[in-house]
Amino acid sequence: MSGHRIFQTAFAKVYPMYVQKAERKGRTRAEVDQVIRWLTGYSQAALERQVAREVDFTTFFAEAPAMNPRREFVTGVVCGVRVEEVEDPLMRHIRILDKLVDELAKGKALEKVLRQADG
């Protein structure tokens, strides 16, 4: 999967889709940002800089300050793919982010999305 098209896609192109998905279900951009910051370790300002720079997903995750170790607790199916079975590390990070946004949009409590309760 090292040459997958999503790897070179600008994070800034997908980010608004994450926000729209969440907002359609009554969630907020701030909650989406919190989920992204939880996963990657970016500060809000650094996240906004990455979006403004239009870095691709490869760069976005490569420059992430501190991937959350609790990301390993993110399991389940998103886009027809079982997250925990994705072997490519970058694709797994992308699928974990997709799954977190999906859980947020489905109304899951933010504490649960961020794996702060019940691991």
Side-chain angles (χ1 to χ4, degrees):
M1 273 195 189
S2 60
H4 197 282
R5 187 173 56 151
I6 191 70
F7 295 171
Q8 282 70 51
T9 300
F11 178 78
K13 288 189 181 256
V14 179
Y15 172 74
M17 294 179 213
Y18 289 143
V19 173
Q20 288 170 1
K21 181 176 187 173
E23 288 179 342
R24 276 194 309 266
K25 300 292 185 167
R27 303 312 283 259
T28 66
R29 176 185 298 262
E31 288 174 310
V32 172
D33 288 356
Q34 186 174 352
V35 165
I36 295 168
R37 292 192 325 264
W38 175 88
L39 177 62
T40 62
Y42 283 114
S43 67
Q44 185 64 35
L47 172 60
E48 290 170 9
R49 276 193 303 275
Q50 292 295 67
V51 172
R53 287 177 50 214
E54 297 188 6
V55 299
D56 59 25
F57 270 97
T58 301
T59 303
F60 181 78
F61 281 108
E63 293 181 356
M67 293 300 292
N68 193 310
R70 293 192 57 82
R71 72 187 180 280
E72 299 304 322
F73 292 104
V74 179
T75 59
V77 177
V78 65
C79 302
V81 177
R82 185 156 285 285
V83 173
E84 61 271 24
E85 293 175 0
V86 176
E87 291 187 24
D88 182 280
L90 177 56
M91 183 59 83
R92 180 177 273 185
H93 290 146
I94 293 168
R95 294 297 185 190
I96 288 171
L97 180 53
D98 290 345
K99 181 68 176 169
L100 293 171
V101 172
D102 192 51
E103 289 178 354
L104 185 68
K106 286 184 176 176
K108 198 169 189 181
L110 191 58
E111 302 77 42
K112 297 246 185 218
V113 172
L114 302 182
R115 304 321 194 249
Q116 293 173 348
D118 299 333

